[in-house]
Structure formats: C-alpha cells, structure tokens
Amino acid sequence: MTKRNRQIKLFDRQLVGTALGQSVLKLNPALITKNPVMFTVEVSTAVMLAVCVVQLATGDDSQGALWYNVTIFFILLLTVLFANFAEALAEARGKAQAESLRKTREETPARKAKKSNDGFQETGEIVSSSSLRLGDYFVCTSGDVIPMDGEIVEGIATIDESAITGESAPVIREGGGDRSSVTGGTKVLSDRIIVEVTSQPGESFLEKMIALVEGASRQKTPNEIALTILLAAFTLIFIIVCVTLKPFADYAHTPITIAAFISLFVCLIPTTIGGLLSAIGIAGMDRALRANVIAKSGKAVETAGDVDVLLLDKTGTITIGNRKATHFYSAPEESDTDFIKLCALSSLADDTPEGKSILELAGKEAVSSVQKLSTGGTLIKFTAETRTSGITLSNGTQIRKGAYDAIKRISEKSGKEFPPAIEMKVREISANGGTPLVVSENGQVAGVIELQDIIKPGISERFARLRKMGVKTVMVTGDNPLTAKFIAEKAGVDDFIAEAKPEDKMNYIRKEQADGKLVAMMGDGTNDAPALAQADVGVSMNSGTQAAKEAGNMVDLDNDPTKLIEVVEIGKQLLITRGTLTTFSIANDVAKYFAIVPALFIASIPALQSLNIMGLKSPESAILSAIIFNAIIIPMLIPLALKGVRYRPIGASALLRRNLLIYGLGGIIVPFIGIKIIDLLLGLVM
C-alpha cells in the first residue's frame, strides 16, 4: 500500500516565489491591522519614510545622516516583509497541499434515481454534480466517479478513496451500517450502489476541506487571540516607555533622533513572535493534514494539546478487531455435536467477523445440516440493547447467543438454572482475556463459545507515551468486566468501561468534564454522534456515517482509531511551539535593551558605559546592529515555526524546564552574540 506524499519542501522555489509576492500585498494596512505588533512596525516604517523624504527635500541633518535614516527605513521595511513572508509561506504550503484535492472537485455527471414502493430505480436523467441537492438520489456503478457526498442507501461497492486519503488500497462501503458514507471525487471500482446526497453544493466535505487547508476559512483560536491581546498590551506599554524617554533626554540635554526612538521601540516590542504567530497557527493545521486528519478549526487542534482524557474503543483500536471463535464448551447435559449445531444455527444471521468465525469453526458439515432447519425461521439480529442474536425456528424453538449476563437473564426468566460449570468456564475465559458467548435453547443454557482477540503490537508503548504526556486513557468495550480488566491491564490503559452502551460514553464524558477535564474520543457510527459532539475533541472516521462526521470536529481520512494519539501530539506541539517562540521573543528584548539604551545616553551620561557590556563601536552601529538582528531573526525562525518545536513526552515540569533553558536562556544569550557579530561587521564599512 502506498500513500500520497504530502511532504512539501520547506523552501520550495515555487512556494517561495508565491510567498514573496504575497508579502508585498500583505503590506495593505487593512490586512496588517489584524496583527497589532506588525501594524505598529509598519507605522514606524512609514514615519521613517516621511523623515527620509523631508530630509531629502530640506537637507536638514538634525535627525542624523540621510544614509543612516534610509538604512533604518529599509531594515524596518524588511522586518515587516519577513513577518508577512512567514505567514504567506505557511499559507502557500497549505494551498499546495490542497492542489490534488482541487483536481477531484471537477464537474461530474450523475445518474439520478428515485425512491418508490418497490425500492430505488434509475430515472434515466443525467445531471451535473453541481445540480444535485440535499436529499437527491443517484446511482453509481463500476468505473463511476461519485459526484457528491452521500450515504449508501442500497448496495455494496469497492471504492478507491486515494484521491482523498492517499491510500491506494480500495475499501468496502455498504448501506445500512456505520460504513455507509461516501465522498464526492472518489471512484467506484466494482458493483452498484444507490446514494442519498447529504450536502448542498459548495458545502461538500471536499470543498470544506480545501477551504480549511488553504487557510481561507481559518479563524484565530482562543489561545491565539489571548496571546495577540497580550502582545498588543506589551506594545502599548513600550509606546508609553519610549514616549516618556523624551523628557528624560531633554533634562539630560541629550538629543534623541526619531530614528533612535523608533529603533528602540521596534526592538523592545515582541516583533519576533508577532511576526510568526499566524504562521505557527497555519502550520499546525498543515501538520494535522499531513497526518491525514482534517481539523474543522484551529481550535480543535489546539484543544487536542490540552486533552486530559482519551476514550478509545477496544475492538479495532486496542485489539486487531476480528475476534475469532477458538473453542466450543458444551454444558454437562448437552452433547458436543448438538451444541455445535446450536452454535451454527445462532450464527446464521450474524454477519460480523465473530459470527463468520463461529460458522468456520463449526465446519461445513454442521452448517449445511442446520441450514434446512433454519428454513422458515426468524433471524434475530444483534443489537447493543439486547446484546444477543440468534434464530427462532418455524416450530417455535428459540436459540439465542450473546453475552453472559444477557443469556443469564433469559435463562432466569424462563425459570431455568444457569449451569455452574458453564459459569466457571465463562469466568475462566474472561480471566484469560477471551470473550465468552453463551448459547441457549428455549432459555436452557447449552454451552459457551470462546472468542479470542489479539492486542495490537506496540499499543502499550503508545499508551505509556500518552501517560507521560499526562493523558489518561480509557478503554470502552461491550465485554464483561473480567475480560475488559484483562485486556486493559495487558494493553496498559488507565481505566475501562465494560458492558458499555452508547449512553455510557456520553455519561462518562459529562462526568469528566464536570471535574474540569478536557475529553477526546473517536467514533464512526450514528450512535456515536452525541458523544462526539459532547467531547471537547471528537475524531470521526471518514468511512463513518454523515451524522458522525458532522458531530466531530476532526475527520480521520485513514479511518485509524489510534490516530487520536497523533492528534494529541500535534496539538501539544502547536502549543509548545507558540509558547517557546513567545519566550524566545521576549527574552530577546533584554539584549536589545543593553544595546540601544546605553547608545542613546552614553554621550551625556558617561556612567552608562558600564551598561555597554557588549562593547559596541558607536551609538549608530549599536542601533543598526540591534534592528538588523531584530529583522533577520524572524526568517531564521521560520523553519522552526513551520515544522514545530519537537515534543518530548517527559512530563510538563521537565518540559517547561527544558524549554526555559533552551529558549529562555538561549533567547537572552543569542542576541548578545548576534548583535556583537553584526557590530563588528558594520565596523568594517562604517
């Protein structure tokens, strides 16, 4: 199996070219006002441009040499352009990711169908995919491209979803279950299906996906808004600080030029994080996409990073999923041959892998011998409420197969005693991690079937990783408590919910949320929709029902339930990247302070020479060195902003100490070194 390569070079030539053009367009004040920090830098740049124009017209050099002011202007302009470039490059990468998706959004002919008393029939009308409306029906056969999102209402088909998921292996979709959803742009490889349209034109999954990936509908997350407000407050404070320096300078008989004031202001405000903030958010969405996860908002990705509890289904997530029958254990008064026939009869209506494995274990001879007996009988499908399945024969004989407690209730209701030997065997199977299915005939327990499931390799290590992140894992299963406990201990989950019904998930989520915790869960069925909507992070499978996809705030294109683990890591990486770069940006200001403030007052207050710990050549070179470093640090940090700071599951305290050491202390030391090097280089030309 191959996957479409979603990796794009960080500085792809075409993307860089696009981003450079957008950097200039983003100088539009109407656009840049969304970023208060960079807006003030742009205003400062405009002021310096005005100073240069006036000086050029009048020849007045009271504000310093013309070359000096022009240099300051160009450096400030580059600072704004670098910040715009970071955001534009992140957007360009997202748009590049959407190119292959856009190709699938072409007009596709659709063969309409209508519903009648006799089922569904083709109308013979062929229309464009854009003319399909919510509730319409269409037919697709082998070779057809599915024109619109929908749910299969009749038929079963093999579908190629590689245009959406990148996965080359075809998948099976059929009506009437949790695997009924189909996506416009995918291709039918075999058989015939009738699909009901579940979206309006322009609102399909693919179109929403493209808009999100391209950043067209990206909204700032609550954390991002909060940080923007904080940075704006910092900027306001430093405006006040710089303004109050004027009377101090006049008192000290120290003339300070407009260029010096502006340079000090621009260097003290958090321009680094201000320039990279949008890029970090866009890149977070991009990383989610590369993991084949479509987040409906940046908030969902961000929230995933703060998740406290993770709900996971046992079957297909923690275990392989296809449980197989391994043994038949008949009751003492029941012959083995008769019991095997009862097992086969009770599984004829069971289309699950478990039911098929029971028929396989029973053997062809037993199955063929009971098929005649089933003629005219009523097949009983399995439901989550009854937790039983089976058959009622034409002579009234009721054969049931199901969970221990469900069959025990049936037995007790019939006035029959539950065999102690079978009860012991049930406990033994459960204690060994198996799933016992008890079979009864007219309420009389006939024996028990042992099902065994296999825990996915490496899953316990993944749960240990989540535990280090501070995330509690909870396994949800319909198994009895003994089996659930065995699997939970073997898999390494922190807690489990046994004999779970759909409402149990919802109740557990509400209980944890009431305790102030953030909860994530996955699901694919309509019965999962309420819990997905209730959870703080709901990941729905792309193969699942439309109701599940609408209820969740993320969609996993790979249909991998363990993807929740990656989603949590992506969310944490987004939060850490934003936090570390904010720390680095604010720490930077310390060095810039020691570069510029002594430079402003050192001539009139020689005692400030002691603050010139970098030994900078002159006031002019000190100011130039500081704002040059302030400008070039933004593009130097673009790769880190786009790739994200690497997350290590070492605990919150250890992670904080590590990042403070690297990005806090490093944020103080690096500018000292950088500004000094720039000053030495300027000394060669000044």
Side-chain angles (χ1 to χ4, degrees):
M1 292 187 290
T2 59
K3 274 196 182 271
R4 180 176 65 242
N5 184 15
R6 293 185 182 272
Q7 300 294 329
I8 298 173
K9 286 184 181 179
L10 193 62
F11 291 107
D12 180 85
R13 184 177 293 179
Q14 188 175 351
L15 296 185
V16 169
T18 303
L20 285 171
Q22 287 296 314
S23 302
V24 178
L25 295 176
K26 287 179 179 290
L27 290 173
N28 183 346
L31 298 175
I32 207 165
T33 48
K34 296 176 183 177
N35 188 335
V37 176
M38 299 318 301
F39 175 68
T40 57
V41 178
E42 184 171 74
V43 171
S44 301
T45 307
V47 171
M48 282 307 305
L49 177 63
V51 170
C52 293
V53 170
V54 170
Q55 189 171 6
L56 193 64
T58 61
D60 182 18
D61 60 355
S62 61
Q63 293 297 323
L66 180 62
W67 71 268
Y68 175 74
N69 289 330
V70 170
T71 305
I72 296 287
F73 163 72
F74 276 112
I75 295 170
L76 292 177
L77 180 61
L78 282 174
T79 304
V80 183
L81 288 174
F82 286 153
N84 290 347
F85 176 77
E87 183 178 4
L89 184 60
E91 289 175 351
R93 281 166 60 84
K95 289 176 181 178
Q97 296 281 15
E99 277 305 308
S100 60
L101 299 172
R102 188 180 286 104
K103 290 175 184 177
T104 66
R105 197 182 55 178
E106 297 173 355
E107 288 292 305
T108 306
R111 304 201 306 273
K112 290 192 74 173
K114 65 178 181 180
K115 189 176 183 180
S116 65
N117 295 331
D118 300 326
F120 294 91
Q121 288 91 29
E122 286 191 53
T123 62
E125 184 183 0
I126 299 175
V127 298
S128 171
S129 57
S130 60
S131 66
L132 291 172
R133 296 292 183 269
L134 184 70
D136 286 350
Y137 298 95
F138 61 84
V139 180
C140 283
T141 54
S142 179
D144 290 346
V145 174
I146 295 173
M148 185 67 82
D149 292 2
E151 286 194 4
I152 300 173
V153 292
E154 185 179 283
I156 180 171
T158 306
I159 296 176
D160 176 9
E161 295 185 340
S162 59
I164 307 296
T165 67
E167 187 65 67
S168 61
V171 295
I172 305 293
R173 295 286 177 263
E174 60 181 315
D178 292 341
R179 303 277 172 176
S180 61
S181 178
V182 292
T183 305
T186 58
K187 189 176 183 180
V188 178
L189 299 180
S190 69
D191 302 292
R192 177 180 182 270
I193 53 174
I194 296 181
V195 182
E196 181 181 1
V197 178
T198 55
S199 63
Q200 295 285 7
E203 298 177 2
S204 70
F205 176 72
L206 191 60
E207 287 165 321
K208 288 178 182 177
M209 184 173 166
I210 292 169
L212 285 164
V213 171
E214 291 181 327
S217 60
R218 193 186 91 87
Q219 300 292 322
K220 285 187 177 182
T221 65
N223 279 355
E224 199 173 342
I225 293 170
L227 185 55
T228 302
I229 294 169
L230 178 64
L231 297 181
F234 276 156
T235 303
L236 182 61
I237 289 168
F238 284 117
I239 289 174
I240 296 168
V241 168
C242 292
V243 168
T244 56
L245 276 180
K246 176 64 176 170
F248 284 109
D250 291 344
Y251 181 79
H253 303 291
T254 303
I256 299 178
T257 62
I258 294 172
F261 268 123
I262 286 175
S263 300
L264 175 65
F265 168 70
V266 170
C267 286
L268 290 184
I269 64 173
T271 49
T272 307
I273 184 62
L276 298 172
L277 189 58
S278 293
I280 294 168
I282 296 168
M285 298 281 284
D286 182 54
R287 282 194 294 276
L289 176 66
R290 280 185 274 129
N292 263 9
V293 175
I294 302 301
K296 295 181 180 180
S297 68
K299 183 184 177 182
V301 179
E302 195 175 79
T303 305
D306 286 328
V307 162
D308 302 296
V309 182
L310 196 59
L311 261 65
L312 297 154
D313 278 335
K314 186 202 78 171
T315 307
T317 305
I318 296 170
T319 61
I320 299 296
N322 294 342
R323 294 179 293 184
K324 287 194 173 182
T326 54
H327 287 95
F328 293 133
Y329 300 101
S330 59
E333 65 275 8
E334 192 82 24
S335 72
D336 290 344
T337 305
D338 289 342
F339 177 60
I340 291 171
K341 287 180 179 179
L342 289 174
C343 292
L345 271 170
S346 67
S347 301
L348 289 174
D350 193 348
D351 294 328
T352 65
E354 291 88 347
K356 291 174 182 176
S357 76
I358 292 170
L359 294 176
E360 188 180 331
L361 185 63
K364 290 181 180 179
E365 190 177 329
V367 173
S368 59
S369 68
V370 299
Q371 280 178 333
K372 291 180 181 178
L373 292 173
S374 67
T375 305
T378 304
L379 298 175
I380 309 299
K381 295 278 188 181
F382 176 87
T383 67
E385 294 299 323
T386 64
R387 301 174 69 224
T388 62
S389 63
I391 187 170
T392 301
L393 301 179
S394 55
N395 61 8
T397 302
Q398 295 181 352
I399 302 166
R400 299 290 184 268
K401 174 194 70 186
Y404 159 72
D405 58 324
I407 300 297
K408 189 175 182 180
R409 281 196 298 270
I410 292 172
S411 180
E412 289 173 349
K413 198 177 278 186
S414 303
K416 308 288 173 62
E417 186 182 352
F418 199 98
I422 296 299
E423 195 157 355
M424 285 180 64
K425 184 57 69 174
V426 165
R427 289 176 181 172
E428 184 185 322
I429 294 169
S430 299
N432 292 327
T435 301
L437 290 180
V438 183
V439 179
S440 70
E441 183 181 10
N442 291 326
Q444 181 65 52
V445 174
V448 61
I449 306 167
E450 181 179 1
L451 300 177
Q452 284 291 344
D453 207 346
I454 303 167
I455 293 173
K456 287 183 176 180
I459 196 75
S460 59
E461 287 78 7
R462 301 196 77 180
F463 289 144
R465 185 177 174 89
L466 278 168
R467 197 172 294 108
K468 287 182 179 178
M469 295 179 193
V471 179
K472 177 185 176 183
T473 50
V474 181
M475 180 184 78
V476 182
T477 177
D479 290 337
N480 63 74
L482 274 174
T483 303
K485 185 181 179 186
F486 180 91
I487 298 290
E489 288 176 352
K490 200 170 178 183
V493 296
D494 300 307
D495 198 2
F496 62 89
I497 305 171
E499 299 177 347
K501 296 182 180 67
E503 60 268 23
D504 293 335
K505 292 181 184 179
M506 176 76 85
N507 294 336
Y508 189 90
I509 292 169
R510 285 172 174 166
K511 182 174 75 69
E512 293 290 342
Q513 289 174 333
D515 293 336
K517 295 176 180 176
L518 294 179
V519 183
M521 73 159 286
M522 58 70 56
D524 58 1
T526 301
N527 63 341
D528 292 324
L532 284 168
Q534 181 67 37
D536 300 285
V537 178
V539 182
S540 55
M541 304 295 101
N542 187 41
S543 62
T545 62
Q546 191 67 27
K549 288 199 283 188
E550 289 294 331
N553 45 26
M554 290 189 187
V555 178
D556 175 28
L557 301 179
D558 292 333
N559 305 307
D560 176 12
T562 61
K563 190 64 69 67
L564 270 171
I565 298 169
E566 289 181 56
V567 168
V568 171
E569 289 187 345
I570 291 168
K572 286 189 177 295
Q573 190 183 33
L574 172 62
L575 294 172
I576 289 167
T577 302
R578 189 183 291 141
T580 51
L581 289 183
T582 301
T583 303
F584 185 87
S585 177
I586 293 172
N588 271 205
D589 295 341
V590 177
K592 298 168 195 171
Y593 176 88
F594 280 100
I596 294 180
V597 172
L600 294 177
F601 295 98
I602 204 164
S604 54
I605 311 175
L608 289 177
Q609 183 64 44
S610 58
L611 293 178
N612 188 20
I613 56 180
M614 286 181 275
L616 301 178
K617 184 174 177 290
S618 66
E620 288 80 10
S621 80
I623 291 170
L624 282 174
S625 299
I627 65 165
I628 289 172
F629 178 85
N630 190 66
I632 64 173
I633 197 65
I634 294 175
M636 289 175 70
L637 290 174
I638 287 176
L640 189 63
L642 298 185
K643 288 182 178 179
V645 176
R646 185 181 174 188
Y647 170 70
R648 300 172 187 269
I650 56 178
S653 300
L655 196 64
L656 180 62
R657 285 195 300 271
R658 182 179 179 273
N659 288 340
L660 281 175
L661 181 65
I662 297 174
Y663 297 96
L665 186 61
I668 295 172
I669 295 172
V670 169
F672 276 95
I673 299 170
I675 290 171
K676 180 61 181 177
I677 292 172
I678 295 170
D679 182 71
L680 292 172
L681 293 173
L682 288 175
L684 300 175
V685 295
M686 287 177 66

